[in-house]
């Protein structure tokens, strides 16, 4: 297939001249320039950003419905009524479930029943048969976590059966709200709390805070420390990709420290196995190393779920679970690699420049999203990947490459009449259709993408500041740690380096590259994971000088920590410095 060799445009987040002018005064450090690029210019705002405080997070009772919910739960507390917590199967839901079960039990609720639907066979949502089953078991109070805001029918059925449902969710409500006992969702139109950035587990955590306070107001004290469940909350907040701003920053900063020293046997064992024990954890460790192992569990629908590991009290059982998890993850990696390979074969003769689309009977439904992510980066265009089940139904996922401006939901809407269902976000969506519609769907997607302006396809990579290797030292790394946690809406800083001399290029297992880059005799190691075709071509041409976009990170190897550049993109330098002569 023709490689799309044009790379993404590199654009600064704010004018570099403005930053340069800033340097005319008291020369700010690289961190100062990064803060400036992220829009922080006021010393007070910067102080607040660098020192987020748990004591300053919002009052939970500012969220609409909180008092009604807390009162209902306190009634259940006094009457020792069973409380079912019904949570989504993803890590947001599972972590929210764990913190509710722990918190309620620690505060003296005697009968807390955790429930989750199965990812593949039951699917996302708050399901009527599960509610009916709970009623048969005597449950009359259900608290949802990370799910329920669109479950109009299930809430109506629950009401019919005499069950009070407290919906806690953070997803956007639809036109019709469910007839629940009360709804706690900071994204409701009428909610005044400004806490719409909380994860599903975050909303549940604010409910726990409200319950603890309401008990206290009745003179009932308990030894439950809200801080002790911040490890769960942190996993949820990072993996659900909600904005790492305001309260979320304070919660995740404290939560990372909590996770680092967690004594929960399951989390401890997983940290040990992943060599993350005894180091200072950052949000990227959780997002890229820790959470994917837990995620593999629900993807493959096995007997063991994240919640089981979260709540396991026995150390040797927890260690066995971690063994199983890592084996499952290896199985997931295998399934993904097979699907990946197969997808590339399927796409060998693909000549549509706007997107790639492959469906196959051999794809496992649990990995299509991961394969789509990889293909979108490899081909630098939207990727649609579907698993064909029973020869007739295609269910799949779509992803766009980093920096691509298009919207997948809009794209899928262009063939809405051909789909059984679809949904999601601009950058990640899911869909289902009958296989006999495949050709028509491809045609209507092509039409859709053709109609869009050409510029819309040009992907863009944004960077914060231009830097030089001379700027990079331990002090900068410490500054970055203080500036974190980084994540959604508070991105890890991306630096641009120009005209670095390439002194070594090595290929690593898995197709990654390791480089040594130099500037004025100062050298840094660099790593490039999963290069695109274009990046690979550039490195295969053995360039003498490169311009790169990179994030800074620590690389630990054999107990030694070194600073390395994690490359986001690269291109051959246009102006090359003749050895010994600096053209600037
Ligand atoms: Mn969620």
């Amino acid at each position: 297939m023709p490689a799309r060799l044009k790379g993404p445009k590199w654009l600064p987040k704010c004018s570099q001249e403005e930053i340069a002018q800033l340097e005319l005064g008291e020369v700010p450090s690289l961190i100062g320039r990064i803060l400036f690029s992220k829009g922080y210019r006021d010393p007070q705002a910067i102080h607040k950003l660098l020192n987020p405080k748990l004591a300053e997070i919002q009052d939970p009772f500012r969220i609409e419905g909180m008092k009604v919910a807390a009162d209902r739960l306190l009634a259940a507390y006094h009457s020792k009524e069973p409380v079912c917590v019904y949570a989504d199967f993803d890590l947001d839901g599972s972590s929210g479930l764990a913190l509710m079960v722990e918190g309620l039990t620690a505060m003296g609720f005697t009968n807390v029943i955790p429930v989750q639907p199965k990812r593949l066979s039951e699917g996302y949502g708050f399901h009527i048969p599960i509610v009916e089953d709970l009623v048969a078991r005597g449950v009359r109070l259900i608290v949802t976590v990370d799910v329920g805001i669109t479950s109009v029918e299930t809430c109506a059925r629950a009401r019919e059966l005499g069950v009070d449902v407290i919906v806690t969710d953070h997803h956007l409500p639809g036109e019709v709200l469910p007839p629940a006992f009360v709804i706690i969702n900071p994204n409701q139109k009428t909610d005044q709390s400004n806490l719409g950035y909380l994860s599903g587990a975050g909303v549940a955590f604010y409910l726990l805070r409200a319950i603890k306070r309401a008990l206290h107001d009745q003179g009932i004290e308990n030894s439950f420390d809200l801080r002790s469940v911040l490890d769960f909350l942190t996993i949820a907040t990072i993996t659900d990709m909600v904005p790492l701003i305001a309260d979320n920053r304070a919660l995740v900063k404290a939560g990372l420290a909590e996770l680092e020293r967690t004594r929960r046997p399951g989390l401890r064992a997983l940290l040990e196995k992943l060599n993350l024990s005894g180091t200072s954890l950052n949000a990227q460790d959780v997002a890229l190393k820790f959470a994917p192992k837990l995620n593999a569990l629900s993807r493959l629908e096995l007997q063991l779920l994240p919640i089981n590991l979260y709540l396991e009290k026995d150390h040797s059982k927890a260690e066995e679970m971690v063994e199983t998890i890592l084996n499952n993850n290896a199985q997931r990696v295998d399934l993904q690699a097979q699907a990946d390979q197969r997808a590339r074969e399927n796409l060998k003769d693909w000549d549509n420049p706007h997107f790639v689309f492959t469906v196959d009977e051999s794809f496992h439904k649990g990995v299509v999203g991961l394969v789509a992510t990889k293909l979108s980066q490899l081909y630098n265009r939207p990727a649609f990947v579907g698993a064909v089940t029973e020869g007739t139904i295609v269910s799949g996922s779509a992803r766009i490459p980093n920096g691509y401006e298009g919207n997948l939901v809009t794209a899928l809407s262009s063939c809405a009449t051909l789909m059984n269902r679809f949904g999601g976000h601009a950058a990640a969506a899911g869909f289902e259709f009958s296989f006999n519609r495949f050709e028509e769907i491809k045609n209507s997607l092509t039409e859709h993408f053709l109609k869009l302006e050409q510029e819309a396809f040009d992907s863009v990579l944004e960077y914060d500041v231009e830097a030089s290797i001379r700027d990079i030292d331990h002090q900068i790394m410490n500054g970055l740690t203080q500036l974190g946690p980084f994540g959604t809406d508070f991105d890890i800083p991306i630096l641009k380096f120009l005209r670095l001399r390439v002194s070594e290029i090595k290929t690593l297992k898995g197709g990654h590259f390791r480089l040594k880059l130099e500037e004025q005799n100062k050298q840094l190691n660099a790593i490039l994971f999963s290069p695109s075709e274009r990046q690979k071509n550039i490195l295969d041409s053995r360039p003498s000088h490169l311009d790169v976009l990179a994030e800074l990170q620590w690389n630990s190897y054999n107990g030694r920590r070194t600073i390395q550049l994690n490359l986001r993109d690269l291109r051959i330098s246009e102006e090359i410095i003749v050895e010994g002569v600096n053209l600037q």
Side-chain angles (χ1 to χ4, degrees):
M1 74 163 281
R4 196 180 154 90
L5 286 175
K6 197 166 145 254
K9 268 192 235 156
W10 295 0
L11 293 179
K13 280 189 185 147
C14 84
S15 136
Q16 297 296 297
E17 283 88 62
E18 228 183 310
I19 292 186
Q21 269 170 22
L22 188 76
E23 285 180 307
L24 291 175
E26 193 186 335
V27 181
S29 69
L30 186 57
I31 301 295
R33 289 190 277 147
I34 289 169
L35 276 167
F36 190 83
S37 122
K38 291 194 179 298
Y40 289 86
R41 283 139 210 218
D42 161 49
Q44 228 181 330
I46 291 173
H47 180 81
K48 233 182 139 174
L49 181 85
L50 294 177
N51 303 284
K53 292 215 167 46
L54 272 187
E56 287 168 14
I57 63 173
Q58 297 274 355
D59 182 340
F61 286 100
R62 290 187 55 155
I63 304 178
E64 188 179 321
M66 199 55 99
K67 171 112 182 48
V68 178
D71 287 348
R72 178 65 184 85
L73 280 155
L74 254 62
Y77 170 88
H78 290 296
S79 64
K80 302 202 182 325
E81 180 185 357
V83 181
C84 166
V85 184
Y86 183 109
D88 182 31
F89 45 70
D90 76 356
L91 281 188
D92 188 11
S94 300
S95 309
L97 179 60
L99 71 84
M100 281 298 278
V101 171
E102 278 257 333
L104 291 176
T105 311
M107 287 193 284
F109 285 78
T110 47
N111 195 352
V112 183
I113 304 164
V115 174
Q116 286 179 289
K118 296 189 187 74
R119 182 177 193 131
L120 297 179
S121 51
E122 291 174 321
Y124 178 81
F126 182 37
H127 301 304
I128 291 178
I130 302 181
V131 171
E132 290 172 341
D133 185 56
L134 286 164
V135 171
R137 289 162 64 188
V139 170
R140 293 294 178 271
L141 176 58
I142 300 176
V143 181
T144 70
V145 175
D146 194 32
V147 62
I149 194 61
T150 55
S151 308
V152 178
E153 283 170 29
T154 309
C155 287
R157 179 68 179 137
R159 173 158 287 205
E160 222 170 73
L161 294 169
V163 178
D164 291 338
V165 179
I166 298 174
V167 168
T168 83
D169 204 342
H170 69 141
H171 294 99
L172 287 183
E175 289 286 293
V176 185
L177 291 175
F181 180 78
V182 64
I183 296 172
I184 300 180
N185 184 338
N187 285 310
Q188 277 191 88
K189 276 201 198 89
T190 47
D191 190 283
Q192 304 283 325
S193 65
N194 283 324
L195 286 165
Y197 53 77
L198 289 177
S199 62
V203 177
F205 180 72
Y206 280 56
L207 174 59
L208 268 193
R209 291 174 61 210
I211 298 166
K212 169 121 177 152
R213 176 105 60 86
L215 283 168
H216 169 84
D217 289 346
Q218 290 190 356
I220 304 161
E221 300 299 343
N222 53 63
S223 61
F224 172 55
D225 179 1
L226 284 156
R227 194 185 268 267
S228 72
V229 293
L230 288 182
D231 49 356
F232 294 140
L233 179 59
T234 292
I235 297 172
T237 305
I238 291 172
T239 56
D240 222 47
M241 316 233 322
V242 291
L244 275 191
I245 57 168
D247 284 15
N248 279 347
R249 269 182 71 77
L251 292 164
V252 168
K253 197 152 191 165
L256 283 168
E258 201 61 43
L259 181 57
E260 209 176 291
R261 60 170 175 257
T262 185
R263 282 214 284 263
R264 296 181 207 288
L267 295 181
R268 187 81 262 153
L270 189 53
L271 286 172
E272 306 269 335
K273 270 281 172 195
L274 296 175
N275 289 324
L276 290 171
S277 195
T279 62
S280 70
L281 277 182
N282 64 32
Q284 282 61 45
D285 293 328
V286 174
L288 303 174
K289 297 178 186 161
F290 190 81
K293 309 299 180 293
L294 292 173
N295 254 329
L297 287 179
S298 61
R299 281 185 189 284
L300 303 181
E301 196 166 289
L302 304 146
Q303 293 308 309
L304 179 63
L305 291 170
I307 187 73
N308 303 122
L309 182 81
Y310 279 169
L311 300 180
E312 181 56 60
K313 297 276 181 255
D314 181 89
H315 282 276
S316 62
K317 276 197 197 131
E319 273 163 33
E320 275 169 40
M321 282 181 179
V322 168
E323 284 301 320
T324 314
I325 287 172
L326 296 181
N327 289 338
N328 286 330
N329 189 58
Q331 189 192 342
R332 195 268 307 157
V333 169
D334 262 9
L335 285 169
Q336 190 185 340
Q338 284 164 23
D340 220 60
Q341 179 76 31
R342 186 58 181 257
R344 288 185 209 198
E345 281 162 27
N346 293 351
L347 291 169
K348 225 170 40 216
D349 300 318
W350 182 268
D351 56 6
N352 188 318
H354 305 299
F355 62 92
V356 291
F357 202 146
T358 175
V359 306
D360 205 288
E361 290 200 358
S362 73
F363 295 163
H364 189 287
K365 232 163 100 174
V367 301
V368 288
L370 302 168
V371 174
T373 302
K374 197 138 189 209
L375 292 179
S376 73
Q377 280 156 12
L378 184 71
Y379 295 106
N380 196 25
R381 68 191 87 166
F384 300 77
V385 180
V388 188
T389 44
E390 290 151 33
T392 51
I393 298 292
V394 180
S395 45
S397 288
R399 297 287 188 273
I400 56 176
N402 289 335
Y404 178 88
E405 309 240 309
N407 184 319
L408 289 170
V409 178
T410 320
L412 288 167
S413 303
S414 74
C415 33
T417 53
L418 303 167
M419 294 270 170
N420 299 348
R421 52 184 176 157
F422 66 94
H425 316 283
F431 53 81
E432 189 187 289
F433 59 84
S434 304
F435 183 67
N436 56 17
R437 297 288 199 189
F438 188 35
E439 289 306 315
E440 286 171 88
I441 286 172
K442 277 191 287 189
N443 290 340
S444 90
L445 281 176
T446 305
E447 246 172 72
H448 166 80
F449 283 110
L450 267 176
K451 260 192 257 158
L452 294 178
E453 293 279 345
Q454 190 58 38
E455 295 107 82
F457 300 138
D458 283 340
S459 53
V460 167
L461 284 178
E462 285 192 318
Y463 62 89
D464 290 88
V465 291
E466 280 182 30
S468 131
I469 287 187
R470 286 186 317 260
D471 296 334
I472 310 305
D473 56 19
H474 284 225
Q475 205 191 332
I476 292 300
M477 296 306 285
N478 293 340
L480 282 177
T481 305
Q482 219 208 336
L483 194 54
F486 301 110
T488 308
D489 287 1
F490 196 70
D491 300 329
I492 197 156
I494 302 292
L495 312 182
K496 180 165 96 169
F497 296 87
L498 294 176
R499 294 185 287 275
L500 301 183
R501 203 171 79 81
V502 183
S503 48
E504 190 178 296
I505 300 181
K506 258 196 211 160
T507 326
L508 303 179
K509 221 170 62 189
H512 316 299
F513 282 94
R514 179 168 284 294
L515 289 79
K516 286 193 195 299
L517 299 172
E518 266 178 38
E519 190 180 22
Q520 295 178 352
N521 297 324
K522 199 174 165 195
Q523 194 179 59
L524 271 185
N525 285 327
I527 182 108
L528 175 66
F529 290 114
S530 308
S532 69
E533 254 175 276
R534 180 184 56 86
Q535 293 167 339
K536 198 174 164 308
N537 288 345
I538 290 176
L539 292 179
D540 286 345
S541 77
R542 303 283 138 178
S544 68
H545 289 76
L546 286 174
D547 297 346
V548 305
L549 293 190
E551 68 180 74
L552 293 174
Q553 60 181 207
W554 284 113
N555 177 40
S556 299
Y557 187 70
N558 280 341
R560 234 172 63 100
R561 262 197 342 168
T562 50
I563 303 170
Q564 76 176 1
L565 299 175
N566 184 340
L567 302 183
R568 290 297 182 87
D569 199 18
L570 49 86
R571 60 189 184 204
I572 296 175
S573 305
E574 279 172 18
E575 287 173 64
I576 290 171
I577 301 166
V578 181
E579 275 313 295
V581 183
N582 189 340
L583 297 182
Q584 283 176 316

